[in-house]
Amino acid sequence: MSRHYELDVIKEQCRALARKRALVSAGVAVVPVPFLDVVVDASMLTVLIPEISHRFGLAPEQIEAFDAETKKVVWSEIAKRGSQFVGLVVTRTLVRQSVQNMATKVISKQVAKFIPFGGQLVAAGLGYFVLRRIVYQHIDDCYEVAKASFKC
């Protein structure tokens, strides 16, 4: 099996995992407890982001095991992409900053929870969208970095 095909399989597996976790986020968003969903999302991302990096061979300890040339390519690709998460130890603070970058959607989601029924559906949809978008971006970053690192 070619490395490119293997990366495609990993990418799709990670996207399926992201969709499952985004459904959990949507479910929590329906609960009318202020910021419960943000706490749950941050907790999920703190586990999910490193897991995805590891699947692509881009966890910090995996990158350190690369030869010097491959490390140089990997760090160059990470810098070029401006990735917040690839190759880093993910902390709740870093995740919170990423979620805050989507602050308007998160605030809308919080307000929408308190509008009867329809608002809960809006909050659930936004919860799903926000989490999935953050994770998909990380998956795409990891995919491109991994692809570039195996060309050397």
Side-chain angles (χ1 to χ4, degrees), residues 26-44:
V28 172
V30 174
V31 178
V33 175
F35 299 104
L36 172 66
D37 53 338
V38 175
V39 171
V40 170
D41 288 353
S43 296
M44 277 195 296

Side-chain angles (χ1 to χ4, degrees), residues 25-89:
S25 177
V28 172
V30 174
V31 178
V33 175
F35 299 104
L36 172 66
D37 53 338
V38 175
V39 171
V40 170
D41 288 353
S43 296
M44 277 195 296
L45 288 169
T46 305
V47 173
L48 189 57
I49 296 294
E51 181 181 337
I52 290 166
S53 295
H54 189 270
R55 287 182 181 205
F56 278 100
L58 297 171
E61 66 277 2
Q62 292 170 308
I63 293 173
E64 285 305 311
F66 292 157
D67 63 75
E69 182 62 29
T70 304
K71 266 192 230 182
K72 183 179 172 185
V73 169
V74 168
W75 287 115
S76 171
E77 280 296 314
I78 290 171
K80 195 179 347 176
R81 299 192 65 71
S83 176
Q84 290 182 319
F85 297 127
V86 179
L88 300 175
V89 175

Side-chain angles (χ1 to χ4, degrees), residues 18 21-23 25 41-42 44-45 48 102 126-136:
R21 298 289 169 86
L23 284 173
S25 177
D41 288 353
M44 277 195 296
L45 288 169
L48 189 57
M102 298 189 150
L126 284 170
Y128 181 87
F129 171 76
V130 169
L131 187 81
R132 192 188 74 175
R133 181 149 184 220
I134 291 169
V135 177
Y136 269 27

